[in-house]
Amino acid sequence: MEALSFPVSPKPQYLLKDPAQLNKKIFHQFVDGPNRLYAAFPPKVATSNVLGHLTDCNWLFPPSPVISGSAAKFSRDIGRSSVFGGLVYYQFGDTFCKNLDNEFVGLVSNTIAVLTTTKGPLYSKYEDVAPNGLVDQFIPFNHQDLKFNDEHEASKARMTIWSFGGIVEVSPGVGVLWYERTEAHPGGLFSYRGTGVARVQIEEKQPGEFRPVCHLLHDKVFGPDEIHWGSFSSLLEDDGYIYLYGSRDFEIYIGRVQARHPEQKGAYAKSAYEYFDGERFSKDPNCAKSIMSGYAQGGIFKSKLFHPSHNANYLFIGCNNFGDSKIFMGWASSPQGPWEFTHIADAADIGGPEGYKYAIYPHPWAFEESDGELMVTWSEHWPGGVVAAKLTFEMEDKLYSPASKDASSKYSAIYLINDLPIDIRLYVSTLQGVIKKFVGSSLNIEQRGVLYPVHVEPMQWQPQKLHLVVESTSEKGVEDAIEFLDRTISRRQKARAERIEEQTSRLKSARLRAKFLTWGRSVVDLLSRKAGEGEEAEQSVPRAIPYVRYAKDDRIEIGVAPALAES
């Protein structure tokens, strides 16, 4: 089968107006805030460019424009993205794993991949994958799930864990997600078994290597007869609540729970949730009222795509339950609505499997809202993959100059942090209060990045960098904050290098000790057997006993000790 060809934009995807932003620290002055354009309202898409499939940089999951093959080789779906720990992660559903020889090696119900910033929004990498191509499952099974899969292997029924709502980061490198547990039976029959909540945390798996690790927190916080809370979408708000969008029979409801560290007592237990009854939030889940109707999947996010006067601070991108591959946009002034909707585009068929497209999601981190651009993805049916497209909205012809949030802030700088190791990025994100107190400048972490002004061929991408924004009332205040960041990061990098060197040395020493200890025990066993040989061995008491033991300075000592005299 011939390699797929994708319709692409003939111009570079990443362009930047200001070449000075190539510097590590970008400095500029502002008075009333940056001038900007807003998308026209009601929303209307001017152009829709299909970018291609989300592709794995391990080259385990093409289709890829640089690798011969087709969507028939590999398959995965969902492709919901989250910004977590300063990086972008894609969460996939059913992932059909194959090796490089195109041999099927296993089906995994959910996986996670990290965006590789050097290649752009289509390219991610699995960090936990076996040499044969089997990817590790991200949200783990419990014992009952494993037992069910073992008992139903012959009938090909299986337990699945799917997460549609994304990861919510509640503190640097610590987050929560909600997931559905569903029995999948042959013939496309599914039996929902409840919703659970899990803790996600950036952990050091090897010296200097950090990965998101998922731990089950409450395995069934909502039962099979209840709304699938949090499995449709989730949103962290400034009021300290996580707003959870749950679905049942294509009706969408909203609840909320306080954003707390998942290790705190009672965090995310069932008693902690509140439910919107159409007027207010209450503790009674039976009073929950639908706020949307007829939508199968989608994502809700805060946005500045439209001018504030249109009261469209919250946007929805998703698909309905009719299976017609239509992309819908919704908008509201608050998380609970009221919501309005319109059809803005269609999920295109790019030569993959026939059938409607589903699991349509927005990815607002990929492009600049001020340019009227938004990336969306949709899933193809098996054996297809996840397809991405860039929507460009029609813009208003009026240039706005909004007032700054802090009228006293006159100077600002952008400080790139995405090239730093993830543990240092997480540490830097805790410095806002320190810089405010001791330097007098404000520090904000921006999820959207600085783009590099380079000319590239079609289908090549340039990195998008996450950054800090430093603001102050004076140029010196900004410079002092940058100097403080430089010193702090430099010290942290030095301490990190020393720690990794020490951990690596200890690991090598432990492995070496274990190796010599095994060898020493073999010698001891050999000496013991020799001591027991001979015609009189069983009748006599050995004059010496061989031994192996740890000694000082990580040395292993092998010797013989005098035997105890007979009493």
Side-chain angles (χ1 to χ4, degrees), residues 397-549:
D397 55 5
K398 181 179 180 181
L399 188 66
Y400 291 90
S401 179
S404 172
K405 289 182 179 180
D406 184 357
S408 64
S409 295
K410 303 297 182 182
Y411 296 85
S412 70
I414 295 175
Y415 192 100
L416 300 180
I417 62 171
N418 206 44
D419 289 333
L420 296 175
I422 189 169
D423 53 320
I424 295 183
R425 286 202 306 275
L426 294 176
Y427 172 74
V428 170
S429 66
T430 66
L431 297 178
Q432 290 99 321
V434 177
I435 288 183
K436 185 71 174 179
K437 181 176 181 180
F438 295 102
V439 184
S441 302
S442 62
L443 183 70
N444 300 303
I445 297 178
E446 294 288 336
Q447 304 288 18
R448 200 163 282 109
V450 177
L451 311 180
Y452 278 63
V454 296
H455 296 283
V456 297
E457 297 297 326
M459 290 307 295
Q460 292 182 340
W461 297 77
Q462 296 305 310
Q464 186 173 26
K465 301 290 186 179
L466 303 181
H467 59 275
L468 303 176
V469 176
V470 184
E471 294 183 350
S472 181
T473 56
S474 67
E475 183 175 339
K476 186 178 185 304
V478 174
E479 293 175 341
D480 289 345
I482 290 175
E483 183 181 354
F484 176 84
L485 284 170
D486 282 340
R487 290 199 313 268
T488 303
I489 292 174
S490 177
R491 288 197 301 266
R492 198 75 178 185
Q493 286 178 317
K494 182 179 178 180
R496 181 182 190 272
E498 293 174 350
R499 177 180 59 81
I500 292 175
E501 183 179 0
E502 181 182 357
Q503 289 178 342
T504 304
S505 176
R506 287 181 179 178
L507 187 60
K508 289 181 179 179
S509 178
R511 290 173 178 169
L512 189 62
R513 286 199 306 270
K515 182 177 180 180
F516 276 99
L517 187 59
T518 302
W519 173 78
R521 285 171 177 164
S522 300
V523 174
V524 168
D525 291 341
L526 179 61
L527 293 175
S528 298
R529 288 196 299 271
K530 291 294 184 182
E533 293 177 355
E535 296 179 356
E536 301 179 356
E538 296 182 358
Q539 301 177 2
S540 61
V541 177
R543 296 181 179 179
I545 300 175
Y547 69 89
V548 57
R549 69 182 182 185

Side-chain angles (χ1 to χ4, degrees), residues 43-346:
K44 184 177 181 181
V45 172
T47 61
S48 175
N49 294 323
V50 175
L51 306 174
H53 286 83
L54 298 187
T55 303
D56 183 72
C57 286
N58 305 95
W59 303 124
L60 298 174
F61 293 91
S64 161
V66 298
I67 287 187
S68 178
S70 72
K73 281 189 175 181
F74 306 93
S75 180
R76 58 184 179 178
D77 64 357
I78 300 181
R80 175 67 184 257
S81 69
S82 303
V83 178
F84 178 65
L87 293 175
V88 175
Y89 291 92
Y90 282 111
Q91 288 178 263
F92 297 97
D94 281 348
T95 304
F96 295 80
C97 303
K98 293 189 177 184
N99 58 27
L100 295 179
D101 295 325
N102 199 30
E103 298 169 336
F104 178 73
V105 296
L107 171 60
V108 182
S109 71
N110 69 85
T111 59
I112 190 170
V114 62
L115 182 74
T116 55
T117 57
T118 58
K119 291 184 177 293
L122 268 66
Y123 295 92
S124 59
K125 179 182 178 181
Y126 282 115
E127 296 181 301
D128 295 302
V129 56
N132 70 342
L134 186 65
V135 182
D136 285 358
Q137 183 162 308
F138 180 56
I139 307 172
F141 284 134
N142 60 25
H143 295 298
Q144 290 78 12
D145 299 330
L146 296 173
K147 182 180 178 182
F148 180 92
N149 289 338
D150 288 340
E151 293 176 347
H152 293 79
E153 183 176 4
S155 65
K156 296 185 178 181
R158 62 188 177 97
M159 190 68 72
T160 68
I161 292 182
W162 295 325
S163 177
F164 300 91
I167 303 172
V168 180
E169 190 168 23
V170 295
S171 64
V174 179
V176 289
L177 63 79
W178 284 260
Y179 58 88
E180 291 186 8
R181 174 174 281 103
T182 303
E183 291 180 13
H185 296 268
L189 300 177
F190 300 97
S191 179
Y192 169 66
R193 290 305 179 195
T195 296
V197 60
R199 169 173 60 93
V200 182
Q201 188 161 334
I202 300 294
E203 298 180 6
E204 191 172 18
K205 303 196 74 173
Q206 295 290 339
E209 295 183 8
F210 292 82
R211 312 274 178 81
V213 180
C214 187
H215 306 273
L216 301 183
L217 186 62
H218 300 294
D219 209 24
K220 188 185 287 186
V221 67
F222 299 107
D225 297 327
E226 298 181 271
I227 296 169
H228 309 191
W229 291 106
S231 65
F232 187 84
S233 191
S234 55
L235 175 71
L236 178 62
E237 261 289 43
D238 296 334
D239 60 5
Y241 282 94
I242 301 173
Y243 286 81
L244 303 173
Y245 296 84
S247 63
R248 183 171 61 188
D249 299 328
F250 305 114
E251 297 290 330
I252 312 303
Y253 305 81
I254 185 172
R256 68 182 186 181
V257 63
Q258 284 189 334
R260 301 169 60 191
H261 194 288
E263 293 184 353
Q264 292 181 352
K265 184 177 180 180
Y268 309 104
K270 191 168 184 177
S271 59
Y273 294 81
E274 298 177 352
Y275 314 91
F276 188 64
D277 62 7
E279 296 182 0
R280 62 185 63 84
F281 287 90
S282 70
K283 288 289 187 178
D284 185 2
N286 297 317
C287 293
K289 301 295 183 183
S290 172
I291 62 169
M292 303 180 189
S293 182
Y295 291 96
Q297 294 103 16
I300 294 158
F301 59 102
K302 299 172 70 173
S303 173
K304 296 181 180 179
L305 180 63
F306 304 105
H307 190 268
S309 62
H310 298 302
N311 294 320
N313 307 324
Y314 300 86
L315 298 182
F316 162 83
I317 293 289
C319 56
N320 60 26
N321 63 317
F322 294 119
D324 53 14
S325 304
K326 294 184 181 297
I327 302 175
F328 287 86
M329 171 176 275
W331 58 89
S333 60
S334 66
Q336 61 268 27
W339 287 87
E340 297 182 62
F341 302 91
T342 187
H343 167 227
I344 58 172
D346 294 323

Side-chain angles (χ1 to χ4, degrees), residues 359-370:
I360 297 176
Y361 289 108
H363 307 271
W365 49 265
F367 297 108
E368 289 291 339
E369 284 187 330
S370 57

